[in-house]
Amino acid sequence: MSAVEQLTPPPAVAEPGPRRWRRVTGRMGLGGLLGIGGLLALVVVSAAGRFLTDPPQPDIEAIAQGPSGEHPLGTDFTGRDNLHLVVRGGWDMLELAFVAGFLMSAIALTAGLLGAYVGGAVDRIVVSFIDLWLTVPRFVLLLVIASLFPVSSTVALAALIAVFEWPYLARQIRAQALSLRRREYVEAARLLQLRGGHIMLRYLIPAIGPFVVISTIQAMNTAIYQQVGLAFFGLVPLEDNWGVLFSVAYSQNALYLPAAAWSLLVPVAAICLLQFCLVLASRSLEELFDPRLRGAR
Amino acid sequence: MQLTPLFTLIGRALVRTVLMLWLVASVTFLAIRALPGNPVDVWVQELQGTGLSAEDAREQATRLLKIDVDQPLWTQYLDYLGNLARGDLGDSVILSPGTPVTDMLGERLLWTLFSISFALVIGFLIGLYLGSLAAYRRGTWVDRLITNVSALMSSIPAVLLGIVLTFCVGVAWDLVPIQSLRGAYSPDVQPGFDLDFILSALAHVIAPGIVYILVSFGTWALVMRSNALSVLADDHVGQARARGLSERTIRVAFVQRNARLPLITGFAISMGFVVSGSVLVERIFVYPGVGQLLADALARRDYTVMQGVVVATTITVLLATAIADALYGWLDPRTRIEQHA
């Protein structure tokens, strides 16, 4: 290839629809497709499990069995079918992840934008508080609080987790907003003396929108991480969900008997699957929205 | 004047440490004593339920908590902070009534620190290596493999990893007897400063250590990769290439040194993260650290012990942060120059 050819940009031709769609999917890569497709599949299967099936019944004849034709993934210590349990237990996890992720993002967005936009003393207070809170071993504190004041619903648990885990996101959002603030078009809006609220709503929030979506996905992952830890100590509401399933199976010593271990490992695998999908989705969205990362591929 | 910046550094670290300790202590006080329906009130009522008179119950609470529960809340709060400042965390209420919490914490904290510090350092080194490898091989399959595996590993909860590891090694493949994974050293070894004890302690730290390494290396690798990438794009690296320095020299002297600096600040955050994770991992491997103590305290509702564990882990993290800050100032001459200006 000659030097001239290398320097000439490719001609700008409007791409036909299907090819453009293929380019978006191509940019997301295999991982992204797997992640987002996996998430959608989990949502559909969990919703079907929760709303279309009845809770599985205990069966004294089939306690803590390995896989068989009748029970493809074995049974738990009361003889309930593991496959059925795991399909039913997804909805609650998704609900927790969604509510906690949304709340966490909302708090982080408020604090981060407040700090970045108002600046001065407010920013210093926000930043010091975030830094302080980030270094505290929060999970230990969360365990103690959750054991002293037991939460009774998934939404309450999500709120508690959100209150503990927002600072990391807030710090990221603040950094993004700070770099945005110095962009020329935001400067121009300020010179036009548009109101602060207007600038925030029309200029800053749309610009960090994609970033907030990614942060929310990461927040969902954090929420599940914390829920699993709390569940291990039996500090979550006793709903049908993977965290409770695995912690109950663990407390029944299912780990030490290969046949019974299915009731422990199946929800564990489901949790890992959900987290893998979330990680893959957030990573591919990052690449999709961030031109610098895109250039790397 | 070399001393002035050092003093401001230490001063700042002290202020930060005290502030954070105060924050955590206040939250715990609020939760355990001040909020309506708080466990101390509940506990006093329970004591009365067992037949104690109201005065006796309150007196017993006062004795163990070392806070006069009849005083107004504000006075109790000051008493509590005063006790804390003197290093007095009260006495255990239920686990072993009357034993000072600090005594219970002492040995446990040592085991936790022993297991964590080992794994943190190894995880850090693995992360550094993999991160810079990914950066040098940017865009290749090596890069993609490392970044994806790191991202996935850092997202799996430590508990689940611990459980799966125990299952694979101890149950399914039956490589080692489960009992040998438990505890801090084998029951047939006497604690002492001899080879048997040290080897036994090391063998028992392997299982929890692997879990800590697996959950921590990914974060380091990802951060190191992005740092190394931005350093590789710096002018001084291009200039070094133009001078004809070998790739090895460039990597070691120019990229590594600059890229790993910011990681040290991340160390504090990671420390809090791993200490938190240790609560769960220690429960799986029955490792006699603070995490195990907290699990017992939670199960038996021993409030002073819970409070003590929260304060002790916070202090641990604070110390690590302070050391990391000091290291940073020492490793990065630029921060020292800024202090002068």
Side-chain angles (χ1 to χ4, degrees):
Chain A
M1 200 186 273
S2 76
V4 179
E5 264 174 274
Q6 273 184 5
L7 290 174
T8 318
V13 181
E15 285 176 82
R19 196 181 292 169
R20 215 171 125 198
W21 173 241
R22 204 177 304 151
R23 244 186 59 185
V24 171
T25 53
R27 240 187 246 153
M28 283 187 1
L30 183 65
L33 290 179
L34 277 179
I36 292 172
L39 274 183
L40 288 177
L42 280 176
V43 171
V44 170
V45 170
S46 304
R50 181 50 146 267
F51 299 111
L52 300 181
T53 67
D54 296 322
Q57 293 305 312
D59 175 6
I60 318 174
E61 303 288 309
I63 283 177
Q65 288 182 344
S68 63
E70 202 184 339
H71 305 288
L73 293 178
T75 57
D76 78 346
F77 69 103
T78 58
R80 294 180 298 174
D81 182 59
N82 284 334
L83 179 64
H84 194 171
L85 282 173
V86 87
V87 167
R88 255 188 82 77
W91 187 255
D92 201 57
M93 297 300 276
L94 291 168
E95 184 185 332
L96 173 103
F98 190 79
V99 176
F102 182 76
L103 286 176
M104 231 185 280
S105 282
I107 304 175
L109 202 59
T110 314
L113 285 183
L114 196 73
Y117 191 76
V118 178
V122 176
D123 191 33
R124 272 202 297 281
I125 293 172
V126 169
V127 170
S128 342
F129 184 79
I130 290 176
D131 279 352
L132 277 182
W133 197 230
L134 271 180
T135 27
V136 168
R138 293 181 303 281
F139 183 66
V140 176
L141 206 54
L142 179 63
L143 273 181
V144 171
I145 303 275
S147 86
L148 295 181
F149 303 96
V151 287
S152 53
S153 74
T154 303
V155 174
L157 179 67
L160 183 67
I161 291 175
V163 167
F164 266 81
E165 297 293 332
W166 61 269
Y168 191 71
L169 285 187
R171 194 163 81 160
Q172 289 180 320
I173 288 175
R174 178 182 161 276
Q176 286 277 327
L178 265 187
S179 82
L180 263 182
R181 228 189 121 189
R182 301 202 189 96
R183 301 275 167 82
E184 282 162 6
Y185 73 98
V186 179
E187 200 92 328
R190 262 220 303 277
L191 288 175
L192 284 171
Q193 297 193 329
L194 297 176
R195 278 179 299 109
H198 183 81
I199 296 182
M200 215 182 257
L201 280 178
R202 300 298 294 271
Y203 290 77
L204 294 182
I205 292 185
I208 58 170
F211 181 78
V212 172
V213 173
I214 295 165
S215 305
T216 309
I217 297 181
Q218 286 166 354
M220 291 171 141
N221 220 346
T222 312
I224 292 171
Y225 202 114
Q226 304 297 336
Q227 192 260 8
V228 169
L230 288 173
F232 190 55
F233 280 93
L235 297 175
V236 296
L238 274 177
E239 307 270 349
D240 286 340
N241 69 50
W242 298 337
V244 171
L245 281 179
F246 115 84
S247 107
V248 169
Y250 185 84
S251 64
Q252 295 290 330
N253 284 327
L255 183 59
Y256 305 109
L257 299 164
W262 282 85
S263 63
L264 178 67
L265 296 177
V266 168
V268 166
I271 295 168
C272 290
L273 183 69
L274 174 56
Q275 291 199 298
F276 283 176
C277 288
L278 287 171
V279 170
L280 289 175
S282 82
R283 286 181 67 79
S284 73
L285 286 179
E286 248 170 8
E287 272 176 28
L288 195 64
F289 289 127
D290 189 339
R292 281 173 305 171
L293 290 173
R294 203 186 302 158
R297 294 179 69 97
Chain B
M1 286 297 286
Q2 271 295 318
L3 282 176
T4 338
L6 188 66
F7 277 128
T8 40
L9 268 184
I10 294 177
R12 211 178 285 166
L14 264 180
V15 169
R16 193 188 154 80
T17 308
V18 171
L19 256 180
M20 195 144 34
L21 206 53
W22 169 77
L23 181 75
V24 169
S26 302
V27 172
T28 20
F29 179 81
L30 203 70
I32 292 187
R33 189 68 200 97
L35 290 180
N38 72 72
V40 172
D41 284 347
V42 173
W43 178 54
V44 168
Q45 275 171 11
E46 273 172 15
L47 281 181
Q48 288 179 29
T50 61
L52 256 81
S53 70
E55 288 89 57
D56 283 353
R58 296 184 84 79
E59 197 215 330
Q60 192 175 345
T62 302
R63 192 156 40 81
L64 289 175
L65 293 171
K66 308 241 171 107
I67 298 172
D68 192 343
V69 290
D70 293 322
Q71 297 283 323
L73 269 183
W74 189 241
T75 325
Q76 294 184 32
Y77 179 58
L78 290 181
D79 280 353
Y80 168 69
L81 289 185
N83 285 343
L84 207 61
R86 282 194 301 275
D88 185 348
L89 292 166
D91 293 346
S92 167
V93 180
I94 293 157
L95 284 178
S96 66
T99 318
V101 172
T102 37
D103 289 0
M104 299 175 72
L105 278 169
E107 196 196 348
R108 306 276 198 140
L109 201 57
L110 275 183
W111 282 119
T112 297
L113 285 180
F114 170 68
S115 63
I116 283 181
S117 51
F118 246 97
L120 265 185
V121 172
I122 297 175
F124 183 73
L125 293 178
I126 295 178
L128 279 194
Y129 176 74
L130 289 180
S132 36
L133 189 68
Y136 300 143
R137 305 270 169 88
R138 178 185 196 175
T140 64
W141 65 270
V142 179
D143 180 20
R144 275 198 289 280
L145 183 74
I146 291 176
T147 44
N148 282 322
V149 168
S150 304
L152 294 181
M153 288 315 284
S154 57
S155 74
I156 306 179
V159 215
L160 302 190
L161 260 180
I163 286 176
V164 173
L165 186 77
T166 318
F167 180 74
C168 291
V169 174
V171 182
W173 304 334
D174 211 7
L175 294 178
V176 281
I178 299 270
Q179 281 75 16
S180 73
L181 292 175
R182 292 185 178 162
Y185 49 87
S186 306
D188 52 337
V189 177
Q190 288 295 316
F193 209 71
D194 52 29
L195 193 63
D196 278 352
F197 177 66
I198 292 172
L199 282 181
S200 176
L202 282 177
H204 280 259
V205 92
I206 290 175
I210 288 177
V211 174
Y212 297 136
I213 291 172
L214 285 178
V215 293
S216 65
F217 88 91
T219 324
W220 297 124
L222 292 178
V223 179
M224 182 65 187
R225 175 181 178 270
S226 76
N227 287 347
L229 279 181
S230 73
V231 175
L232 275 172
D234 270 359
D235 288 343
H236 78 277
V237 174
Q239 190 256 3
R241 284 227 170 81
R243 270 164 66 198
L245 295 181
S246 75
E247 195 62 21
R248 197 185 141 75
T249 317
I250 292 173
R251 284 180 186 177
V252 173
F254 289 71
V255 179
Q256 280 270 4
R257 288 194 136 194
N258 281 306
R260 73 189 168 205
L261 262 183
L263 291 185
I264 293 167
T265 0
F267 194 80
I269 294 176
S270 146
M271 183 77 188
F273 180 71
V274 174
V275 167
S276 299
S278 74
V279 179
L280 302 160
V281 174
E282 282 176 7
R283 194 176 157 209
I284 296 176
F285 295 112
V286 204
Y287 199 82
V290 272
Q292 185 70 39
L293 186 63
L294 179 64
D296 293 344
L298 287 175
R300 306 278 305 276
R301 319 215 106 221
D302 192 330
Y303 310 114
T304 45
V305 175
M306 284 183 208
Q307 185 176 288
V309 172
V310 172
V311 172
T313 46
T314 309
I315 293 176
T316 314
V317 175
L318 289 175
L319 283 180
T321 317
I323 293 172
D325 278 352
L327 265 182
Y328 197 83
W330 178 59
L331 286 173
D332 189 349
R334 282 169 301 184
T335 54
R336 274 179 271 163
I337 293 165
E338 261 174 47
Q339 298 284 330
H340 278 289

